Amino acid sequence: MSIAACLFTPSPSFSPLPKIISKFTTSPPPRLYLSLPSSSSSTTTSLRHRQPSPFLTFSVLPGGDGGDVNHNNNNNSGGGGGNNDDGKDKGGGGDENAGDKNKKEAVMVLAEAGRSVESLPQDLAAAIQAGRIPGSVVERFLGLEKSGFMQWLMQFGGFKERLLADDLFLAKVAMECGVGIFTKTAAEYERRRENFFKELEIVFADVVMAIIADFMLVYLPAPTVSLRPPLAVSAGAISKFFYSCPDNAFQVALPGTSYSLLQRFGAVMRNGAKLFAVGTTSSLVGTAVTNALINARRAVDKSSASEVENVPILSTSVAYGVYMAVSSNLRYQVLAGVIEQRILEPLLHQHKLMLSAICFAVRTGNTFLGSLLWVDYARLVGIQKAHEENTALE
């Protein structure tokens, strides 16, 4: 009887019973009166002491607007589906929660370093205020900033975005350009053998094109931390779509950011168009230089006039642009976004020296493979022809 009296006796500090019972009847656990003590005084005390508990516990019931009975600022609940207690993605509030978490992490890192948001570059400060980058990115920026050369290099937005995504980016550029001459020359010799010196002008053109393109092959498909300002409202639909695409189709999205399959495919298309322009331009330069050398050789050695022909500039340039847009684009997207960022980096992130060595080996093999594929492709489309002796041997 004391239990019943306690349950049905209104209390000035406790909400009416019908609302409580309706709240509890929607959940599977046992009803409240089954767990109350036998003493009426203790029952009243327990109810008053635990008053907030039912609202806090059941404010995340499934359905509705997340069940915020007290009408508090419930940032952790997503519309239409509620949320879990730690504010992870469920419903519409996940991105907002991730943004708040990113901002708190970034501010904490800055506080530990004795820095303020205002002391950072404008684009980085805006990204922190918007909650687009986590504390780990800010920590990496502060580490890179200690080097005078890196601090100067990060004045350029493209380098800053890539260095914040990968602190080994500059080392990878050096690897690629450093081994480019040797691996491409070795690949040319592997394919041409005894005709290597007879086709030296063509080999030279290939190496020149490779040196010009190697940097862009590392730069364009590299994963980035986007610090770009928002587009103008008047921007077209195509511009807005490609703006939302990542720089690498396979790169890991930062917390609070996600990319659809269409956006990742758009990254392949956008980088393909850029690499087509890079390949075509570099080939124009390379073949022009090669033709100049061939003509100079003919002027000095008349006997070589019939041995070597001028390289066709337009067809070679377009073919190399297509090769860069397709073969090089896909290989370097997979290399940077899958092999390095998703496989090697998680395994060896605490062993930078070993990670650099393996990246060097993988990139060297990729460069050599690309040289072999280019020679075969060039012969396939007819812009390069093997020497007569080589054809006879085949």
Side-chain angles (χ1 to χ4, degrees), residues 330-377:
L330 294 177
R331 283 187 293 107
Y332 279 87
Q333 293 255 8
V334 172
L335 174 61
V338 178
I339 298 177
E340 290 179 343
Q341 191 180 45
R342 292 184 178 270
I343 299 177
L344 296 180
E345 174 66 24
L347 292 176
L348 303 172
H349 65 281
Q350 294 181 343
H351 307 280
K352 294 295 183 181
L353 185 60
M354 185 180 299
L355 176 61
S356 300
I358 296 179
C359 288
F360 176 82
V362 173
R363 285 185 172 272
T364 300
N366 178 63
T367 303
F368 184 75
L369 174 63
S371 300
L372 297 179
L373 293 175
W374 161 248
V375 174
D376 290 339
Y377 167 76

Side-chain angles (χ1 to χ4, degrees), residues 116-137:
S116 63
V117 178
E118 291 75 15
S119 66
L120 301 177
Q122 186 176 0
D123 53 356
L124 185 62
I128 292 175
Q129 295 291 354
R132 291 192 284 119
I133 58 174
S136 58
V137 174

Side-chain angles (χ1 to χ4, degrees), residues 230-240:
L231 285 178
V233 181
S234 59
I238 297 179
S239 299
K240 291 180 179 179

Side-chain angles (χ1 to χ4, degrees), residues 235-309:
I238 297 179
S239 299
K240 291 180 179 179
F241 169 72
F242 283 112
Y243 174 85
S244 66
C245 296
D247 286 283
N248 185 287
F250 306 100
Q251 75 177 60
V252 178
L254 293 175
T257 306
S258 62
Y259 301 111
S260 66
L261 182 62
L262 185 60
Q263 287 173 322
R264 293 186 180 275
F265 180 74
V268 176
M269 300 299 295
R270 182 181 60 190
N271 279 344
K274 292 180 179 180
L275 287 175
F276 174 80
V278 170
T280 303
T281 303
S282 63
S283 182
L284 284 171
V285 176
T287 52
V289 171
T290 300
N291 286 344
L293 291 176
I294 292 175
N295 293 331
R297 179 179 176 182
R298 286 175 177 174
V300 175
D301 185 6
K302 301 295 184 180
S303 61
S304 64
S306 59
E307 292 183 3
V308 182
E309 298 179 356

Side-chain angles (χ1 to χ4, degrees), residues 97-152:
N97 294 331
D100 292 341
K101 183 179 179 182
N102 288 343
K103 186 175 180 179
K104 291 179 182 177
E105 289 180 359
V107 172
M108 288 179 61
V109 171
L110 289 173
E112 292 176 359
R115 298 282 296 272
S116 63
V117 178
E118 291 75 15
S119 66
L120 301 177
Q122 186 176 0
D123 53 356
L124 185 62
I128 292 175
Q129 295 291 354
R132 291 192 284 119
I133 58 174
S136 58
V137 174
V138 179
E139 188 175 2
R140 178 171 292 172
F141 172 82
L142 296 177
L144 292 170
E145 201 179 29
K146 295 177 181 178
S147 168
F149 175 70
M150 290 294 186
Q151 187 176 11
W152 172 80

